[in-house]
C-alpha cells in the first residue's frame, strides 16, 4: 500500500486505494472522493474562552510562509514552475465551487487540498498538487 504525505507538513493526505487522474501536465491529481461520517458530530460554536475566564488562544504571529519550490529538488521545482500556471488557471475557473482542506495537523504552511462537485455528483472530487506529495510505502 502507498500513502501520500504532504511534503510540507508530513500529514497523510491520500492512499493508492483511490485512483487518480493527472491534470494539467501532471501538476494536479484528481481523485474521486467519498464522504464518510463516523459517530456523533462535535460542533464548536465559537465561544470566547478569554471572556469567560478560560485560556486565551491567540494567533501565532511567528508563522513563516513556505514556498513549495523551496523544498523540491531543482528538477522537480522546474517541472512544477512550468506546469503551475495551467493548474492555477484550472483552479481559478472553478473557484466559486471549490472547498479548501488541509491535513490533520492543521498547519497554516501546509499544502491545500481542493474539492468540488462535478455536475450531479453526490461525492466530491479532490484536487492535489502532485509535487506537494511524498510517496510512502507501507
Amino acid at each position: 500500500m502507498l500513502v501520500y504525505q504532504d511534503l510540507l507538513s508530513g500529514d497523510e493526505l491520500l492512499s493508492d486505494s483511490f485512483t487518480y487522474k493527472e491534470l494539467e501536465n501532471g501538476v494536479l491529481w484528481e481523485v474521486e472522493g467519498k464522504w464518510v461520517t463516523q459517530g456523533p458530530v462535535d460542533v464548536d460554536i465559537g465561544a470566547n474562552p478569554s471572556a469567560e475566564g478560560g485560556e486565551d488562544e491567540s494567533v501565532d504571529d511567528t508563522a513563516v510562509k513556505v514556498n513549495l519550490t523551496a523544498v523540491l529538488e531543482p528538477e522537480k521545482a522546474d517541472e512544477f514552475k512550468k506546469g503551475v500556471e495551467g493548474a492555477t488557471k484550472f483552479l481559478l475557473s472553478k473557484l466559486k465551487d471549490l472547498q479548501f482542506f488541509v491535513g490533520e495537523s492543521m498547519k497554516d504552511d501546509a499544502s491545500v487540498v481542493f474539492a468540488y462537485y462535478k455536475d450531479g455528483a453526490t461525492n466530491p472530487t479532490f484536487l492535489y498538487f502532485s509535487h506537494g506529495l511524498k510517496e510512502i510505502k507501507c
Side-chain angles (χ1 to χ4, degrees), residues 78-96:
D78 290 341
E79 187 180 290
F80 179 72
K81 287 176 186 177
K82 287 178 186 171
V84 75
E85 183 178 344
T88 302
K89 287 180 182 178
F90 177 82
L91 291 169
L92 287 174
S93 73
K94 299 189 174 312
L95 187 61
K96 67 181 174 87

Side-chain angles (χ1 to χ4, degrees), residues 5-6 11 16 23 27 31 42 51 55-56 63 71-75 89 95 103 108 115 121 128 136:
Q5 290 181 337
D6 179 357
D11 291 336
D16 64 348
L23 302 178
V27 173
V31 179
D42 182 24
E55 247 183 76
D56 182 19
V71 296
L72 292 174
E73 297 172 10
E75 183 180 303
K89 287 180 182 178
L95 187 61
D108 59 354
Y128 300 84
I136 305 293

Side-chain angles (χ1 to χ4, degrees), residues 14-123:
L14 74 147
S15 73
D16 64 348
S17 55
F18 292 94
T19 56
Y20 65 87
K21 176 180 158 187
E22 289 187 357
L23 302 178
E24 301 300 327
N25 297 317
V27 173
L28 290 175
W29 283 2
E30 180 181 76
V31 179
E32 299 299 323
K34 185 167 87 170
W35 289 119
V36 177
T37 304
Q38 296 178 336
V41 177
D42 182 24
V43 178
D44 181 1
I45 60 168
N48 185 352
S50 61
E52 299 168 5
E55 247 183 76
D56 182 19
E57 296 178 12
S58 59
V59 175
D60 178 11
D61 61 356
T62 61
V64 178
K65 188 174 184 180
V66 178
N67 189 321
L68 180 58
T69 57
V71 296
L72 292 174
E73 297 172 10
E75 183 180 303
K76 290 285 185 187
D78 290 341
E79 187 180 290
F80 179 72
K81 287 176 186 177
K82 287 178 186 171
V84 75
E85 183 178 344
T88 302
K89 287 180 182 178
F90 177 82
L91 291 169
L92 287 174
S93 73
K94 299 189 174 312
L95 187 61
K96 67 181 174 87
D97 299 321
L98 291 177
Q99 295 177 341
F100 303 89
F101 297 90
V102 293
E104 186 177 6
S105 69
M106 305 281 296
K107 291 184 179 177
D108 59 354
D109 60 350
S111 296
V112 175
V113 177
F114 308 93
Y116 70 101
Y117 290 86
K118 291 183 176 180
D119 291 335
T122 56
N123 287 317

